[in-house]
Amino acid sequence: MSDTFPRQQARTKRFSLGAPRSFQVSPDGTKVVFLRGKDGTDPITCLWALDLPGGPGKQGSPGNAGERLVADPAAFADLADEPEEERARRERSREWAGGVVAFATDAACALAAFAVAGEVYTAELAEDGTGPRKVNAKAPAIDPRPDPSGRAVAYVCEGALRIADLRTGADSQLIGPGADDGADVTYGLAEFVAAEEMGRYRGYWWSPDGSALLVARADNSPVQRWHIADPSNPGHQPATVRYPSAGTPNAKVSLLIAALDGSAVPVSWDAGACPYLVTADWDAGGPLVVVQSRDQRLMRLLTVNPETGGTQVLREDTDASWLDIVHGVPARTASGQLVWTTMSDDTRRLLVAEPGELADGSAAAVTPPALQVREILSVDGDTVLFSASDSEPAEISVWAYGPDGLARVSPAGADGPAGTYNGTRAGGTTVLAHSSLAEPGVTTTVLRGQPGGVGRDGLISVAAIASMAEKPLISTPCVTMLRAGQRDLRTALVLPSWYDKGSASLPLPVLMDPYGGPHSQRVLATADSFLTSQWFADQGFAVIVADGRGTPGRGPAWDRAVAGDLASHALEDQVDALTAVAELCVSQHLADLDLTKVGIRGWSFGGYLSALAVLRRPDVFHAGVAGAPVTDWRLYDTHYTERYLGDPAVTGQAYERASLISDAAKLKRPLMIIHGLADDNVVVAHSLRLSSALLAAGRPHSVLPLSGVTHMATQEEVAENLLLLQVEFLKRALGVL
């Protein structure tokens, strides 16, 4: 049987297998540690190290650095026995592979710790270091992290934080659920909404001297119980999960300072005003904690006294709609300045200031209004590395701010290809990862030196980190990047690779392929963003991908346009994008589109948007495929949903406006609903309730239930056939078979 793109994409986990990621640079800048599979189809992720030429501050020539395989789980672990807790963590972090999926190191980056199949392992990272060693630790273990000195490893097992002493081999519980805690209390773990919506996947932080840890205690007993069954196996017990849907109680999260001598001090803050623990850190300047109000309009940066557990509000931010969580802050420079962000001039801007200036509001932004800061990537001494977009949100660049001012690290304009960049930095060494429209895949370069005040002065390429990912069978996507309509909607038109713009061929049916909502940007200047869209185009469609209001990258006002209404603007922008692209196709002779045959497909929010489109605008959309759609926002989680729609007990009308259930009787167009029965993010109740409402209204529709499939649909045969079945359904529904 010949290979096909759907089969290849499924086998390679969307071409993520074999691609290097999770880079960490040693403090002296001589070593880069990272994760990567051995090839583009190997689902077992290995730990690697790259030794750079020369010592700190010395230069080498590109290509003379050597990669080393540090740990191959297939050689030392039983990969079949993976704990449920680890599977849940991978689901939250959207991790596709197995093996070493995460690692942590000591302060010197001399020792790495990781978990495989519930067992703790360490590996020395020096060139002459010993191979992986199994640690005497209780199983199933998750999230192991060495202390800064590399003498002990902390990890979580059965809801307790434990310490394995690497010198003596002793293993003991540091702090865990007591007699008064109950079965729903955990120590050292992130609760559901933290991992799913805040991007906080951990629940403990070592002190710099390794004598104590800052530990999160999560009491999940207030959170309602939901039951996720496996109907295809009626003998299996339903899985019970704690799911905080909108308007219902969250987990109660608190913090403690737990010393290795067994003593513990509770950390106190106004949890009534700010119950959400957003993130924490502990460096030489002391612990820093960020907390947030339930309505997300108030955020506080706290300092913690590690002796007493007392806190002080260092910074307080408010917003009439909500405050975004920016990854990488708070952080502290070597000179003691704090790194934070602020919103001004409809821009997220970088603050690097003395604590007093941050506290009294006198700190001035160090980035211009034209530069949208996205994420703080790392802090190296007094240099802050961050990602940002300037005039074009489809492109993401890497910048540095330090004593010499602001400098762009990634190439610009004629100096290099556009696209998206990411990176990290330590010890004067920068790892820069780049994707572009020129070809699929990621290119990773290692640079050494200090960015100058203008341009990339002082940075010299010393190595490249290879990607083992497979090259897609699809050639470089045929993408035209457009600005559509009055709102300059960032839009991509993807045409069949065989399409001849100058021919008199029949008009192409149209397929809208959006995500279209908060948290995810589809229109990026990278070929990888459009591989699936290109495959759909090659089946005979003109595919349009549009980012409407609420999607990231265009500033606070654009984000907040969906406040109180997740439906109207999102749908309006898809209609506007379709209309504007059709007009541009005529004026610029791009293609001939058949607007009497328009389909729409999507997953998660994109699935919601697809169902919304055929229900509310059947005059525009003639068929829809809704994958894992949110159909009733009261069934989705607190932190995400309440940010946009508020408390349903107060803002119930906003939930009604956004719900698909009440629109069921309006269905006039073919609709296919797809949902994984094991989905614990968007539970299958969403699709079942919509289907029931459609049935009650006498509206025919298709439902494709996926047995044993979660929100990610990672099973190879499922992922492959989902694409094939969608194409068949859309062609039949649009009459183009």
Side-chain angles (χ1 to χ4, degrees), residues 365-396:
V366 299
T367 51
L371 196 62
Q372 294 281 357
V373 173
R374 288 175 174 259
E375 181 179 358
I376 310 306
L377 302 173
S378 56
V379 177
D380 179 22
D382 287 329
T383 299
V384 180
L385 197 74
F386 64 96
S387 60
S389 296
D390 42 30
S391 59
E392 179 47 65
E395 300 177 6
I396 303 174

PDB file of all heavy atoms in Angstrom, residues 365-396:
ATOM      1  N   ALA A 365       7.992  51.290  30.298  1.00  0.00           N
ATOM      2  CA  ALA A 365       8.172  50.163  29.384  1.00  0.00           C
ATOM      3  C   ALA A 365       9.456  50.339  28.592  1.00  0.00           C
ATOM      4  O   ALA A 365       9.823  51.450  28.196  1.00  0.00           O
ATOM      5  CB  ALA A 365       6.978  50.050  28.456  1.00  0.00           C
ATOM      6  N   VAL A 366      10.153  49.234  28.359  1.00  0.00           N
ATOM      7  CA  VAL A 366      11.416  49.289  27.620  1.00  0.00           C
ATOM      8  C   VAL A 366      11.239  48.861  26.167  1.00  0.00           C
ATOM      9  O   VAL A 366      12.208  48.822  25.415  1.00  0.00           O
ATOM     10  CB  VAL A 366      12.487  48.414  28.313  1.00  0.00           C
ATOM     11  CG1 VAL A 366      12.755  48.912  29.725  1.00  0.00           C
ATOM     12  CG2 VAL A 366      12.078  46.938  28.325  1.00  0.00           C
ATOM     13  N   THR A 367      10.018  48.534  25.772  1.00  0.00           N
ATOM     14  CA  THR A 367       9.725  48.207  24.384  1.00  0.00           C
ATOM     15  C   THR A 367       8.765  49.242  23.812  1.00  0.00           C
ATOM     16  O   THR A 367       7.950  49.821  24.550  1.00  0.00           O
ATOM     17  CB  THR A 367       9.100  46.803  24.258  1.00  0.00           C
ATOM     18  OG1 THR A 367       8.000  46.692  25.170  1.00  0.00           O
ATOM     19  CG2 THR A 367      10.128  45.734  24.578  1.00  0.00           C
ATOM     20  N   PRO A 368       8.816  49.502  22.510  1.00  0.00           N
ATOM     21  CA  PRO A 368       7.978  50.535  21.898  1.00  0.00           C
ATOM     22  C   PRO A 368       6.542  50.066  21.711  1.00  0.00           C
ATOM     23  O   PRO A 368       6.255  48.865  21.723  1.00  0.00           O
ATOM     24  CB  PRO A 368       8.659  50.775  20.554  1.00  0.00           C
ATOM     25  CG  PRO A 368       9.304  49.467  20.227  1.00  0.00           C
ATOM     26  CD  PRO A 368       9.761  48.905  21.540  1.00  0.00           C
ATOM     27  N   PRO A 369       5.613  51.015  21.497  1.00  0.00           N
ATOM     28  CA  PRO A 369       4.203  50.653  21.307  1.00  0.00           C
ATOM     29  C   PRO A 369       3.950  49.764  20.095  1.00  0.00           C
ATOM     30  O   PRO A 369       2.942  49.061  20.048  1.00  0.00           O
ATOM     31  CB  PRO A 369       3.511  52.013  21.145  1.00  0.00           C
ATOM     32  CG  PRO A 369       4.423  52.992  21.792  1.00  0.00           C
ATOM     33  CD  PRO A 369       5.800  52.474  21.568  1.00  0.00           C
ATOM     34  N   ALA A 370       4.842  49.782  19.118  1.00  0.00           N
ATOM     35  CA  ALA A 370       4.620  48.989  17.906  1.00  0.00           C
ATOM     36  C   ALA A 370       4.980  47.518  18.082  1.00  0.00           C
ATOM     37  O   ALA A 370       4.733  46.709  17.189  1.00  0.00           O
ATOM     38  CB  ALA A 370       5.434  49.572  16.753  1.00  0.00           C
ATOM     39  N   LEU A 371       5.561  47.144  19.228  1.00  0.00           N
ATOM     40  CA  LEU A 371       6.051  45.788  19.428  1.00  0.00           C
ATOM     41  C   LEU A 371       5.184  45.066  20.453  1.00  0.00           C
ATOM     42  O   LEU A 371       5.177  45.423  21.628  1.00  0.00           O
ATOM     43  CB  LEU A 371       7.511  45.830  19.899  1.00  0.00           C
ATOM     44  CG  LEU A 371       8.326  44.541  19.800  1.00  0.00           C
ATOM     45  CD1 LEU A 371       8.461  44.085  18.354  1.00  0.00           C
ATOM     46  CD2 LEU A 371       9.700  44.737  20.426  1.00  0.00           C
ATOM     47  N   GLN A 372       4.437  44.043  19.982  1.00  0.00           N
ATOM     48  CA  GLN A 372       3.567  43.261  20.865  1.00  0.00           C
ATOM     49  C   GLN A 372       4.380  42.136  21.512  1.00  0.00           C
ATOM     50  O   GLN A 372       4.762  41.169  20.846  1.00  0.00           O
ATOM     51  CB  GLN A 372       2.398  42.645  20.080  1.00  0.00           C
ATOM     52  CG  GLN A 372       1.406  43.635  19.515  1.00  0.00           C
ATOM     53  CD  GLN A 372       0.440  44.143  20.576  1.00  0.00           C
ATOM     54  OE1 GLN A 372       0.482  43.718  21.714  1.00  0.00           O
ATOM     55  NE2 GLN A 372      -0.443  45.047  20.178  1.00  0.00           N
ATOM     56  N   VAL A 373       4.644  42.260  22.810  1.00  0.00           N
ATOM     57  CA  VAL A 373       5.385  41.222  23.517  1.00  0.00           C
ATOM     58  C   VAL A 373       4.476  40.009  23.705  1.00  0.00           C
ATOM     59  O   VAL A 373       3.338  40.131  24.155  1.00  0.00           O
ATOM     60  CB  VAL A 373       5.884  41.735  24.874  1.00  0.00           C
ATOM     61  CG1 VAL A 373       6.519  40.604  25.685  1.00  0.00           C
ATOM     62  CG2 VAL A 373       6.890  42.869  24.673  1.00  0.00           C
ATOM     63  N   ARG A 374       4.980  38.835  23.381  1.00  0.00           N
ATOM     64  CA  ARG A 374       4.196  37.609  23.488  1.00  0.00           C
ATOM     65  C   ARG A 374       4.605  36.772  24.702  1.00  0.00           C
ATOM     66  O   ARG A 374       3.752  36.285  25.433  1.00  0.00           O
ATOM     67  CB  ARG A 374       4.340  36.772  22.210  1.00  0.00           C
ATOM     68  CG  ARG A 374       3.618  37.365  21.000  1.00  0.00           C
ATOM     69  CD  ARG A 374       3.900  36.544  19.759  1.00  0.00           C
ATOM     70  NE  ARG A 374       3.125  36.988  18.614  1.00  0.00           N
ATOM     71  CZ  ARG A 374       2.024  36.386  18.164  1.00  0.00           C
ATOM     72  NH1 ARG A 374       1.558  35.322  18.787  1.00  0.00           N
ATOM     73  NH2 ARG A 374       1.398  36.829  17.099  1.00  0.00           N
ATOM     74  N   GLU A 375       5.897  36.568  24.909  1.00  0.00           N
ATOM     75  CA  GLU A 375       6.356  35.666  25.953  1.00  0.00           C
ATOM     76  C   GLU A 375       7.777  36.034  26.344  1.00  0.00           C
ATOM     77  O   GLU A 375       8.579  36.436  25.504  1.00  0.00           O
ATOM     78  CB  GLU A 375       6.307  34.222  25.436  1.00  0.00           C
ATOM     79  CG  GLU A 375       6.726  33.173  26.433  1.00  0.00           C
ATOM     80  CD  GLU A 375       6.628  31.762  25.868  1.00  0.00           C
ATOM     81  OE1 GLU A 375       6.195  31.615  24.705  1.00  0.00           O
ATOM     82  OE2 GLU A 375       6.985  30.807  26.582  1.00  0.00           O
ATOM     83  N   ILE A 376       8.091  35.898  27.632  1.00  0.00           N
ATOM     84  CA  ILE A 376       9.461  36.048  28.091  1.00  0.00           C
ATOM     85  C   ILE A 376      10.098  34.668  27.995  1.00  0.00           C
ATOM     86  O   ILE A 376       9.652  33.721  28.648  1.00  0.00           O
ATOM     87  CB  ILE A 376       9.528  36.584  29.531  1.00  0.00           C
ATOM     88  CG1 ILE A 376       8.642  37.825  29.675  1.00  0.00           C
ATOM     89  CG2 ILE A 376      10.961  36.867  29.921  1.00  0.00           C
ATOM     90  CD1 ILE A 376       8.922  38.923  28.684  1.00  0.00           C
ATOM     91  N   LEU A 377      11.147  34.539  27.204  1.00  0.00           N
ATOM     92  CA  LEU A 377      11.735  33.240  26.914  1.00  0.00           C
ATOM     93  C   LEU A 377      12.776  32.828  27.941  1.00  0.00           C
ATOM     94  O   LEU A 377      12.847  31.667  28.335  1.00  0.00           O
ATOM     95  CB  LEU A 377      12.346  33.247  25.513  1.00  0.00           C
ATOM     96  CG  LEU A 377      11.361  33.578  24.374  1.00  0.00           C
ATOM     97  CD1 LEU A 377      12.109  33.732  23.054  1.00  0.00           C
ATOM     98  CD2 LEU A 377      10.287  32.515  24.263  1.00  0.00           C
ATOM     99  N   SER A 378      13.605  33.768  28.380  1.00  0.00           N
ATOM    100  CA  SER A 378      14.616  33.469  29.385  1.00  0.00           C
ATOM    101  C   SER A 378      15.270  34.764  29.834  1.00  0.00           C
ATOM    102  O   SER A 378      15.143  35.808  29.179  1.00  0.00           O
ATOM    103  CB  SER A 378      15.683  32.503  28.840  1.00  0.00           C
ATOM    104  OG  SER A 378      16.281  33.023  27.668  1.00  0.00           O
ATOM    105  N   VAL A 379      15.973  34.690  30.972  1.00  0.00           N
ATOM    106  CA  VAL A 379      16.773  35.802  31.482  1.00  0.00           C
ATOM    107  C   VAL A 379      18.182  35.275  31.701  1.00  0.00           C
ATOM    108  O   VAL A 379      18.389  34.319  32.451  1.00  0.00           O
ATOM    109  CB  VAL A 379      16.192  36.378  32.784  1.00  0.00           C
ATOM    110  CG1 VAL A 379      17.104  37.477  33.324  1.00  0.00           C
ATOM    111  CG2 VAL A 379      14.793  36.920  32.556  1.00  0.00           C
ATOM    112  N   ASP A 380      19.145  35.887  31.028  1.00  0.00           N
ATOM    113  CA  ASP A 380      20.550  35.489  31.119  1.00  0.00           C
ATOM    114  C   ASP A 380      21.335  36.665  31.682  1.00  0.00           C
ATOM    115  O   ASP A 380      21.606  37.635  30.965  1.00  0.00           O
ATOM    116  CB  ASP A 380      21.063  35.094  29.734  1.00  0.00           C
ATOM    117  CG  ASP A 380      22.530  34.693  29.743  1.00  0.00           C
ATOM    118  OD1 ASP A 380      23.030  34.311  30.817  1.00  0.00           O
ATOM    119  OD2 ASP A 380      23.169  34.753  28.671  1.00  0.00           O
ATOM    120  N   GLY A 381      21.670  36.603  32.957  1.00  0.00           N
ATOM    121  CA  GLY A 381      22.323  37.738  33.586  1.00  0.00           C
ATOM    122  C   GLY A 381      21.386  38.925  33.596  1.00  0.00           C
ATOM    123  O   GLY A 381      20.296  38.870  34.191  1.00  0.00           O
ATOM    124  N   ASP A 382      21.762  39.991  32.907  1.00  0.00           N
ATOM    125  CA  ASP A 382      20.894  41.165  32.800  1.00  0.00           C
ATOM    126  C   ASP A 382      20.264  41.283  31.417  1.00  0.00           C
ATOM    127  O   ASP A 382      19.706  42.324  31.067  1.00  0.00           O
ATOM    128  CB  ASP A 382      21.689  42.442  33.108  1.00  0.00           C
ATOM    129  CG  ASP A 382      22.003  42.573  34.592  1.00  0.00           C
ATOM    130  OD1 ASP A 382      21.189  42.101  35.406  1.00  0.00           O
ATOM    131  OD2 ASP A 382      23.059  43.137  34.928  1.00  0.00           O
ATOM    132  N   THR A 383      20.333  40.215  30.630  1.00  0.00           N
ATOM    133  CA  THR A 383      19.728  40.204  29.298  1.00  0.00           C
ATOM    134  C   THR A 383      18.421  39.422  29.329  1.00  0.00           C
ATOM    135  O   THR A 383      18.393  38.269  29.756  1.00  0.00           O
ATOM    136  CB  THR A 383      20.680  39.568  28.269  1.00  0.00           C
ATOM    137  OG1 THR A 383      21.879  40.337  28.191  1.00  0.00           O
ATOM    138  CG2 THR A 383      20.031  39.522  26.895  1.00  0.00           C
ATOM    139  N   VAL A 384      17.346  40.048  28.874  1.00  0.00           N
ATOM    140  CA  VAL A 384      16.026  39.430  28.827  1.00  0.00           C
ATOM    141  C   VAL A 384      15.724  39.062  27.382  1.00  0.00           C
ATOM    142  O   VAL A 384      15.722  39.930  26.495  1.00  0.00           O
ATOM    143  CB  VAL A 384      14.938  40.380  29.359  1.00  0.00           C
ATOM    144  CG1 VAL A 384      13.565  39.719  29.296  1.00  0.00           C
ATOM    145  CG2 VAL A 384      15.259  40.806  30.783  1.00  0.00           C
ATOM    146  N   LEU A 385      15.493  37.784  27.128  1.00  0.00           N
ATOM    147  CA  LEU A 385      15.135  37.301  25.798  1.00  0.00           C
ATOM    148  C   LEU A 385      13.627  37.119  25.744  1.00  0.00           C
ATOM    149  O   LEU A 385      13.044  36.494  26.626  1.00  0.00           O
ATOM    150  CB  LEU A 385      15.847  35.983  25.520  1.00  0.00           C
ATOM    151  CG  LEU A 385      15.916  35.516  24.062  1.00  0.00           C
ATOM    152  CD1 LEU A 385      16.942  36.362  23.302  1.00  0.00           C
ATOM    153  CD2 LEU A 385      16.298  34.038  23.983  1.00  0.00           C
ATOM    154  N   PHE A 386      12.988  37.670  24.697  1.00  0.00           N
ATOM    155  CA  PHE A 386      11.532  37.559  24.608  1.00  0.00           C
ATOM    156  C   PHE A 386      11.095  37.468  23.157  1.00  0.00           C
ATOM    157  O   PHE A 386      11.836  37.822  22.237  1.00  0.00           O
ATOM    158  CB  PHE A 386      10.857  38.745  25.301  1.00  0.00           C
ATOM    159  CG  PHE A 386      11.134  40.097  24.678  1.00  0.00           C
ATOM    160  CD1 PHE A 386      10.248  40.663  23.763  1.00  0.00           C
ATOM    161  CD2 PHE A 386      12.271  40.817  25.021  1.00  0.00           C
ATOM    162  CE1 PHE A 386      10.497  41.909  23.200  1.00  0.00           C
ATOM    163  CE2 PHE A 386      12.535  42.055  24.464  1.00  0.00           C
ATOM    164  CZ  PHE A 386      11.647  42.611  23.548  1.00  0.00           C
ATOM    165  N   SER A 387       9.887  36.951  22.944  1.00  0.00           N
ATOM    166  CA  SER A 387       9.307  36.887  21.604  1.00  0.00           C
ATOM    167  C   SER A 387       8.272  37.986  21.456  1.00  0.00           C
ATOM    168  O   SER A 387       7.625  38.392  22.435  1.00  0.00           O
ATOM    169  CB  SER A 387       8.676  35.518  21.340  1.00  0.00           C
ATOM    170  OG  SER A 387       7.641  35.253  22.269  1.00  0.00           O
ATOM    171  N   ALA A 388       8.110  38.458  20.226  1.00  0.00           N
ATOM    172  CA  ALA A 388       7.200  39.585  19.987  1.00  0.00           C
ATOM    173  C   ALA A 388       6.837  39.644  18.514  1.00  0.00           C
ATOM    174  O   ALA A 388       7.506  39.052  17.659  1.00  0.00           O
ATOM    175  CB  ALA A 388       7.846  40.900  20.417  1.00  0.00           C
ATOM    176  N   SER A 389       5.755  40.369  18.222  1.00  0.00           N
ATOM    177  CA  SER A 389       5.356  40.669  16.847  1.00  0.00           C
ATOM    178  C   SER A 389       5.299  42.172  16.684  1.00  0.00           C
ATOM    179  O   SER A 389       4.853  42.885  17.587  1.00  0.00           O
ATOM    180  CB  SER A 389       3.991  40.057  16.518  1.00  0.00           C
ATOM    181  OG  SER A 389       4.028  38.653  16.576  1.00  0.00           O
ATOM    182  N   ASP A 390       5.734  42.645  15.528  1.00  0.00           N
ATOM    183  CA  ASP A 390       5.646  44.088  15.292  1.00  0.00           C
ATOM    184  C   ASP A 390       4.460  44.400  14.404  1.00  0.00           C
ATOM    185  O   ASP A 390       3.324  44.224  14.804  1.00  0.00           O
ATOM    186  CB  ASP A 390       6.960  44.650  14.763  1.00  0.00           C
ATOM    187  CG  ASP A 390       7.616  43.756  13.706  1.00  0.00           C
ATOM    188  OD1 ASP A 390       6.891  43.062  12.982  1.00  0.00           O
ATOM    189  OD2 ASP A 390       8.853  43.770  13.614  1.00  0.00           O
ATOM    190  N   SER A 391       4.665  44.811  13.168  1.00  0.00           N
ATOM    191  CA  SER A 391       3.536  45.225  12.331  1.00  0.00           C
ATOM    192  C   SER A 391       2.742  44.045  11.784  1.00  0.00           C
ATOM    193  O   SER A 391       1.599  44.222  11.361  1.00  0.00           O
ATOM    194  CB  SER A 391       4.034  46.095  11.172  1.00  0.00           C
ATOM    195  OG  SER A 391       4.968  45.372  10.378  1.00  0.00           O
ATOM    196  N   GLU A 392       3.331  42.856  11.777  1.00  0.00           N
ATOM    197  CA  GLU A 392       2.655  41.704  11.189  1.00  0.00           C
ATOM    198  C   GLU A 392       2.504  40.586  12.225  1.00  0.00           C
ATOM    199  O   GLU A 392       3.469  39.931  12.600  1.00  0.00           O
ATOM    200  CB  GLU A 392       3.446  41.191   9.983  1.00  0.00           C
ATOM    201  CG  GLU A 392       2.823  39.975   9.313  1.00  0.00           C
ATOM    202  CD  GLU A 392       1.333  40.152   9.086  1.00  0.00           C
ATOM    203  OE1 GLU A 392       0.952  41.040   8.295  1.00  0.00           O
ATOM    204  OE2 GLU A 392       0.554  39.415   9.714  1.00  0.00           O
ATOM    205  N   PRO A 393       1.273  40.361  12.709  1.00  0.00           N
ATOM    206  CA  PRO A 393       1.070  39.344  13.750  1.00  0.00           C
ATOM    207  C   PRO A 393       1.309  37.918  13.280  1.00  0.00           C
ATOM    208  O   PRO A 393       1.476  37.025  14.104  1.00  0.00           O
ATOM    209  CB  PRO A 393      -0.386  39.550  14.164  1.00  0.00           C
ATOM    210  CG  PRO A 393      -1.029  40.241  13.009  1.00  0.00           C
ATOM    211  CD  PRO A 393       0.037  41.099  12.409  1.00  0.00           C
ATOM    212  N   ALA A 394       1.345  37.682  11.959  1.00  0.00           N
ATOM    213  CA  ALA A 394       1.625  36.336  11.462  1.00  0.00           C
ATOM    214  C   ALA A 394       3.092  35.969  11.610  1.00  0.00           C
ATOM    215  O   ALA A 394       3.461  34.812  11.435  1.00  0.00           O
ATOM    216  CB  ALA A 394       1.205  36.211  10.001  1.00  0.00           C
ATOM    217  N   GLU A 395       3.923  36.943  11.932  1.00  0.00           N
ATOM    218  CA  GLU A 395       5.345  36.713  12.123  1.00  0.00           C
ATOM    219  C   GLU A 395       5.707  36.950  13.591  1.00  0.00           C
ATOM    220  O   GLU A 395       5.212  37.882  14.217  1.00  0.00           O
ATOM    221  CB  GLU A 395       6.172  37.625  11.218  1.00  0.00           C
ATOM    222  CG  GLU A 395       5.888  37.406   9.737  1.00  0.00           C
ATOM    223  CD  GLU A 395       6.656  38.375   8.853  1.00  0.00           C
ATOM    224  OE1 GLU A 395       7.492  39.138   9.397  1.00  0.00           O
ATOM    225  OE2 GLU A 395       6.417  38.376   7.640  1.00  0.00           O
ATOM    226  N   ILE A 396       6.551  36.098  14.136  1.00  0.00           N
ATOM    227  CA  ILE A 396       6.990  36.211  15.521  1.00  0.00           C
ATOM    228  C   ILE A 396       8.503  36.247  15.527  1.00  0.00           C
ATOM    229  O   ILE A 396       9.157  35.370  14.949  1.00  0.00           O
ATOM    230  CB  ILE A 396       6.484  35.036  16.383  1.00  0.00           C
ATOM    231  CG1 ILE A 396       4.950  34.961  16.325  1.00  0.00           C
ATOM    232  CG2 ILE A 396       6.954  35.180  17.820  1.00  0.00           C
ATOM    233  CD1 ILE A 396       4.371  33.738  17.030  1.00  0.00           C
TER     234      ILE A 396
END
